[in-house]
Amino acid sequence: MNQLGFPILSLVMFFPVFGALILMMIDKESKDVLRGTAVAFTVIEFFISLPLVVYFNDATHQMQFVELIPWIKSFGINYHLGIDGISLWIVMLTTFLTPICVLCSWTYIQKHVKEYMVCLLILETAMLGALLALDLILFYVFWELMLIPMYMLIGVWGGVQRIYAAVKFFIFTAAGSVFMLLAILFLYYYNHKVTGIYTFNILELYNLDVPVSVQFWLCLAFFVSFAIKVPMFPLHTWLPDAHVQAPTAGSVILAGVLLKMGTYGFLRFAMPLFPYATHQFIPVFGTLAVIGIVYGALVAMVQPDMKKLVAYSSVSHLGYVMIGLFALNMQGIEGAIYQMLNHGISTGALFLIVGMLYERRHTRMIKDFGGVAKVMPVFATFFMIATLSSVAVPGTNGFVGEIMILVGAFRSFPVFAIIAASGAILGAVYMLWMYQRVMFCPLDNPENQKLKDLNVREIVTLLPLAVLVFVMGFFPGLFLRKMDASVSYFLNDFNTRYEHYVQQYEGNLGSKVAAVMSAEAAGGSVVE
């Protein structure tokens, strides 16, 4: 249904591209004009997306603001967009973070400003397209489109080892995408074989009865692709390099939205398409998730580089999201979605803070700092808020997400939940230790004594994130209410179809056993 009678999703999705076209017409030497125009378009884009929240009907699980236009009829490919309680807040997070990314790049990016802003705007459209697409080919197009501007952001505007990091990022994510494409094509042909209809419509493919033996391979193909994107242990090795070498805005977008594409992909595609195989993979992915939580926290603890520390903390935090998803109950899945938003806000803020410090001192090494709170009190306040959010202190957004995930995990697999809880303690240790060494040690370095506190632009950049930390911490119902119907329907549908597959599999197995016993009783043999 489209309650507005207006293609708002297309407007939200393509408005950044329109902005990119306008930027291309501006003289590349007019850098402030380019920056101002990019800020204007991304802020307008955020306000354009607000009606999605205002007019969203939280009483239904159905896709809303739907747009369906035949694209390539002969292949059953459609321009099909929609939004539900699972994707709504991730879409809003995307439109919320992009203007912040443009603002934080105001002085950080000095070369090829025009191309940089164009890349950011195209990346926003690609991310929104992947989140809104309900046609598998359309999703795949946007999924692949995200790689190009992100590769450019790291490879052109990154640090000293930017080419290595960009190539590694590209190879990992592109390799995973190939497996997913093969699985999509198999689904397409198998659906035609069963129903006589060629379609890539994900809502129709949910109803496809995929044989249990085939589900494992298809599910594995989707899982590998999304697990790389999350990234899950042991497929995470591209992430620290990409984060450390990327410019600040690249790290914010990477942590804030791109990593969520993996967790969103599990929830939107892999799990509902293959419920039986998903259930069988729970021990494997639960184990990898808790290893990621503890491993990411331990490695973060020994990092001398602040940005690398925050990067490894992402591996740990995304492990929580995964364990929440595979708990397969309301608390776990809603907690996981909430934690996706939390991670985008708290880790995004931490990358911004590290970037602001780097702009002043041109170093991110923890040992180079100390006593910074004495000369930068406003900066220290924002840093503390982001740190408290990251370690999930009550009253902040992080607490709500983590506690929901742990409650959900305890109900499904208590052992995993107990191990995951240890990650929260480790997280508090490495984050507060970093804060103490940077902010509270003696101010004995002359370079640190000359540091200037945040300017107005930097405060405006961080303030919305700090406000959201407390709004989401004290009023989680505002956000969770929009998810309830969609998550509840997802779980009911998933469990119903899982039971169907169990009965089907056990029925087939029982028939085979009966046939074998009958043949043995008759003194014959059964050939499979």
Side-chain angles (χ1 to χ4, degrees), residues 19 35 55 61 149 156 166 179 255 296 342 396 399 411 413 428 488 498:
R35 293 172 181 131
Y55 293 100
H61 68 273
V156 177
F179 290 108
N342 296 337
T396 65
F399 176 76
R411 293 187 175 188
F413 23 67
S488 177
Y498 171 67

Side-chain angles (χ1 to χ4, degrees), residues 60-365:
T60 177
H61 68 273
Q62 300 285 347
M63 288 290 169
Q64 302 184 38
F65 309 105
V66 172
E67 297 173 31
L68 176 58
I69 301 170
W71 183 11
I72 307 174
K73 274 188 177 179
S74 55
F75 291 109
I77 302 173
N78 296 312
Y79 176 80
H80 191 187
L81 305 178
I83 197 168
D84 66 356
I86 292 173
S87 54
L88 173 69
W89 291 116
I90 312 177
V91 168
M92 295 308 300
L93 180 69
T94 306
T95 61
F96 173 75
L97 282 180
T98 308
I100 290 173
C101 290
V102 176
L103 269 178
C104 80
S105 307
W106 197 279
T107 54
Y108 192 94
I109 299 299
Q110 292 296 332
K111 66 172 184 178
H112 308 307
V113 174
K114 180 176 181 175
E115 291 80 2
Y116 177 84
M117 296 300 174
V118 168
C119 276
L120 272 183
L121 291 175
I122 292 175
L123 180 59
E124 185 176 15
T125 287
M127 293 186 296
L128 290 169
L131 291 168
L132 296 173
L134 298 178
D135 183 284
L136 278 173
I137 289 298
L138 191 64
F139 166 75
Y140 190 78
V141 168
F142 285 115
W143 177 270
E144 291 294 283
L145 181 61
M146 286 187 295
L147 293 184
I148 299 168
M150 195 64 221
Y151 173 84
M152 299 290 287
L153 287 176
I154 300 172
V156 177
W157 293 277
V160 177
Q161 294 182 310
R162 58 186 180 276
I163 301 299
Y164 168 76
V167 170
K168 193 173 179 181
F169 160 77
F170 192 88
I171 289 174
F172 264 75
T173 46
S177 301
V178 172
F179 290 108
M180 182 168 63
L181 180 61
L182 293 174
I184 289 172
L185 293 176
F186 182 91
L187 273 178
Y188 174 71
Y189 284 108
Y190 185 74
N191 182 68
H192 176 258
K193 182 181 174 184
V194 174
T195 66
I197 299 171
Y198 283 121
T199 183
F200 287 100
N201 186 332
I202 187 66
L203 303 180
E204 293 180 19
L205 292 175
Y206 282 162
N207 301 318
L208 183 62
D209 194 352
V210 182
V212 167
S213 57
V214 180
Q215 271 198 41
F216 280 98
W217 297 107
L218 297 179
C219 188
L220 193 60
F222 273 89
F223 274 23
V224 168
S225 179
F226 296 139
I228 290 173
K229 201 77 166 185
V230 170
M232 287 192 78
F233 176 89
L235 303 170
H236 66 283
T237 58
W238 64 269
L239 183 71
D241 292 317
H243 267 313
V244 170
Q245 297 304 320
T248 299
S251 294
V252 175
I253 284 288
L254 195 57
V257 184
L258 281 188
L259 304 188
K260 312 306 178 303
M261 293 297 170
T263 48
Y264 171 77
F266 273 103
L267 197 52
R268 173 67 75 213
F269 301 101
M271 295 168 74
L273 280 171
F274 316 112
Y276 185 83
T278 296
H279 224 277
Q280 304 307 306
F281 276 125
I282 284 177
V284 176
F285 276 81
T287 304
L288 292 178
V290 294
I291 289 175
I293 291 170
V294 177
Y295 167 82
L298 289 174
V299 177
M301 201 177 294
V302 296
Q303 292 305 313
D305 183 324
M306 281 188 281
K307 202 171 185 186
K308 212 163 190 174
L309 185 153
V310 179
Y312 273 107
S313 78
S314 290
V315 177
S316 187
H317 286 146
L318 268 297
Y320 279 105
V321 175
M322 291 306 299
I323 206 167
L325 292 181
F326 280 90
L328 288 170
N329 52 43
M330 281 294 284
Q331 294 84 0
I333 292 181
E334 288 201 344
I337 298 172
Y338 209 71
Q339 191 67 0
M340 292 184 210
L341 307 175
N342 296 337
H343 180 259
I345 291 163
S346 61
T347 308
L350 286 170
F351 277 123
L352 288 170
I353 284 164
V354 173
M356 289 169 184
L357 213 48
Y358 181 77
E359 276 195 78
R360 287 164 170 76
R361 287 280 278 106
H362 301 290
T363 176
R364 295 186 298 261
M365 295 295 123

Side-chain angles (χ1 to χ4, degrees), residues 447-519:
E447 291 294 320
N448 294 334
Q449 292 168 3
K450 294 184 288 186
L451 287 175
K452 291 184 178 178
D453 209 346
L454 301 183
N455 57 38
V456 174
R457 176 184 58 81
E458 290 169 327
I459 292 173
V460 169
T461 304
L462 287 172
L463 191 59
L465 295 168
V467 170
L468 262 184
V469 164
F470 295 113
V471 170
M472 292 181 69
F474 285 103
F475 308 104
L478 294 174
F479 301 85
L480 295 173
R481 205 171 299 128
K482 302 280 187 187
M483 306 175 195
D484 286 343
S486 296
V487 174
S488 177
Y489 177 80
F490 168 86
L491 282 169
N492 289 334
D493 184 60
F494 181 93
N495 290 329
T496 303
R497 292 195 299 121
Y498 171 67
E499 291 299 329
H500 162 73
Y501 280 116
V502 169
Q503 290 172 8
Q504 187 185 65
Y505 179 69
E506 289 179 350
N508 291 339
L509 194 63
S511 300
K512 286 181 181 177
V513 171
V516 170
M517 292 177 67
S518 173

